[in-house]
Amino acid sequence: MTDVHHLRDNPARYYEVLGRVMSALRETGALNGATHLDWWQGAGGRSWEIEWQGGPFPAEVAARLLGVPESGVDDDQGEHAVRGLISTGRGENEHAHMVVLDVPVNLRAIDPIGTRQVWATLTLPQG
């Protein structure tokens, strides 16, 4: 069994994880088209919960953060600060789970529309 660490035991590590994830979200544009970004400590200080409205599905965001190539998108994101696992949610694909530096990070979207729909909306001709 592995040791379970809490935010209160090692706050620097937990805030480093939050900083890496938030930086990667910005640098990759993984949440393009999303609104109302929020985050909080979860599981009694053992994880981070990150939530947004609209935009991509959580599994799409996790894949982008972890550097998984997207089909049809030609951009070089370079090295990412986030490494971990992707475990998609069940049902309507509303959750994704990553482990970053041994800290769980849960991604959740309210009313996501998916990356394809975001790109279609963003690339509509203005007129």
Side-chain angles (χ1 to χ4, degrees), residues 1-126:
M1 186 167 163
T2 61
D3 291 333
V4 176
H5 299 285
H6 300 272
L7 178 61
R8 66 181 175 268
D9 297 334
N10 191 350
R13 182 177 193 83
Y14 275 75
Y15 284 104
E16 177 185 359
V17 166
L18 179 62
R20 285 178 181 242
V21 172
M22 299 306 273
S23 177
L25 287 170
R26 184 190 69 240
E27 295 297 321
T28 63
L31 287 180
N32 284 348
T35 60
H36 306 292
L37 178 64
D38 198 9
W39 62 91
W40 62 92
Q41 298 170 18
R46 293 184 201 111
S47 70
W48 285 109
E49 308 291 322
I50 300 175
E51 180 180 85
W52 61 91
Q53 189 165 2
F57 293 107
E60 293 172 325
V61 171
R64 184 81 183 244
L65 293 180
L66 296 171
V68 176
E70 296 181 54
S71 59
V73 177
D74 283 335
D75 57 4
D76 181 19
Q77 298 299 330
E79 287 297 313
H80 301 292
V82 175
R83 297 286 182 252
L85 309 170
I86 300 173
S87 176
T88 57
R90 298 185 190 270
E92 297 178 1
N93 195 22
E94 295 176 357
H95 296 82
H97 175 77
M98 300 186 312
V99 178
V100 182
L101 298 175
D102 298 326
V103 175
V105 177
N106 297 302
L107 305 175
R108 180 172 58 184
I110 299 169
D111 300 325
I113 60 174
T115 300
R116 288 185 191 270
Q117 186 62 37
V118 168
W119 278 108
T121 302
L122 292 174
T123 58
L124 285 176
Q126 301 296 319

